[in-house]
Amino acid sequence: MLDAIGAAPAGLSATEVSRRTGMPLSTAHRLVQTLAARGGLERQPDGRYRAGLRLWEVAASAPRASGLRDTARPFLEDLYEATQQNVQLAVLDSGAALVVEHFATRVAVPTASRIGGRLPLHASGVGQVLLAFAPREEQDAVLAGSAGALHRPDDHLAEVLRRVLAGIRRTGVAVAARTMPLPALAVAAPVVGRGGQVVAALAVVLPTEETSGPAYVPAVVATARGVSLQLAGAPMTLPGRAATGAARRVDGGTARGR
């Protein structure tokens, strides 16, 4: 039921909830009324229900997102101030890149991402980074199209994506152009947690006509390395030799240049 309501920004009536979820109408009425009474849903004047602030309050306390956001936010703010472009932080969740932090200016390229929004693993910078370091079975599911990410099984597309992911693992950086849901160019890098595993990805998202995407790599990598060091509490190396080298080039200097 929450999935159905979350996918409908304008809200749903109890009847629409029943129809979309397949649950009996009486059950849908009872559940939406119970959640509304507790603040989980908010009833609109037109009788539709939308997600309530109580859900946001509970979700904001989720340890995986809240601890990561608190640690990463100062670094992301610096990257945002330096680039004046969209900055994203995302984690792998249920076959998608779940955006847990997002900064943007009025003049930045429009994107479909928002905090709590989901981006496709195969067609976004943060998604490709997360997929590159995901368990093999999850990679295989996306590559085979069974997770819906490729929309249809396609051996050629799967092979192209497999080479892209191998390059990301080798360099520790993704420079990804996409046309859906909106045109954009993303420069992304992995964030490593205390156990040495990739726990998130961060990216700068630029207009597709931006030709200096690679020039953002050192700043993005340095930001990811800073978050990783803070999470780990000790010096460590990000995946990819090139990423490590890029991070060293901006260490002791500034991540504010392009």
Side-chain angles (χ1 to χ4, degrees):
M1 183 186 70
L2 293 176
D3 285 343
I5 290 176
L12 296 175
S13 66
T15 301
E16 290 169 326
V17 169
S18 172
R19 184 167 60 249
R20 294 196 184 194
T21 62
M23 66 176 62
L25 181 57
S26 60
T27 302
H29 270 290
R30 176 173 54 82
L31 287 176
V32 296
Q33 289 171 0
T34 299
L35 276 174
R38 299 186 179 188
L41 297 179
E42 294 178 352
R43 189 176 189 273
Q44 307 304 302
D46 62 0
R48 294 172 181 266
Y49 292 87
R50 294 192 298 187
L53 289 177
R54 179 59 179 156
L55 290 182
W56 173 82
E57 182 182 5
V58 172
S61 68
R64 186 156 71 106
S66 61
L68 175 64
R69 286 179 65 195
D70 290 345
T71 300
R73 190 176 293 114
F75 296 92
L76 298 175
E77 288 176 347
D78 283 348
L79 184 61
Y80 164 72
E81 291 293 339
T83 63
Q84 292 297 298
Q85 302 287 354
N86 292 279
V87 173
Q88 300 171 340
L89 178 70
V91 298
L92 183 65
D93 183 72
S94 302
L98 175 64
V99 179
V100 297
E101 190 60 276
H102 178 77
F103 295 95
T105 65
R106 229 177 3 95
V107 296
V109 58
T111 72
S113 65
R114 56 179 174 80
I115 296 176
R118 293 176 179 273
L119 297 171
L121 293 178
H122 73 294
S124 63
V126 288
Q128 288 184 3
V129 168
L130 293 169
L131 185 60
F133 296 100
R136 181 60 182 267
E137 58 271 17
E138 187 146 9
Q139 292 183 23
D140 289 343
V142 173
L143 290 166
S146 61
L150 295 176
H151 307 295
R152 66 186 188 281
D154 187 314
D155 291 340
H156 174 69
L157 290 178
E159 183 56 35
V160 170
L161 183 55
R162 197 181 298 277
R163 290 197 298 269
V164 169
L165 299 181
I168 294 170
R169 286 191 295 272
R170 184 176 65 255
T171 64
V173 179
V175 179
R178 61 175 173 79
T179 57
M180 295 293 291
L182 292 171
L185 175 68
V187 180
V191 173
V192 180
R194 185 178 295 275
Q197 301 299 312
V198 172
V199 297
L202 63 83
V204 166
V205 184
L206 315 163
T208 51
E209 63 270 18
E210 175 68 63
T211 58
S212 59
Y216 288 78
V217 168
V220 171
V221 169
T223 302
R225 183 170 185 263
V227 178
S228 299
L229 292 174
Q230 194 74 18
L231 288 173
M236 66 189 311
T237 301
L238 286 179
R241 295 184 298 275
T244 304
R248 287 198 190 101
R249 285 195 294 275
V250 296
D251 281 352
T254 177
R256 295 183 179 276
R258 292 191 180 185

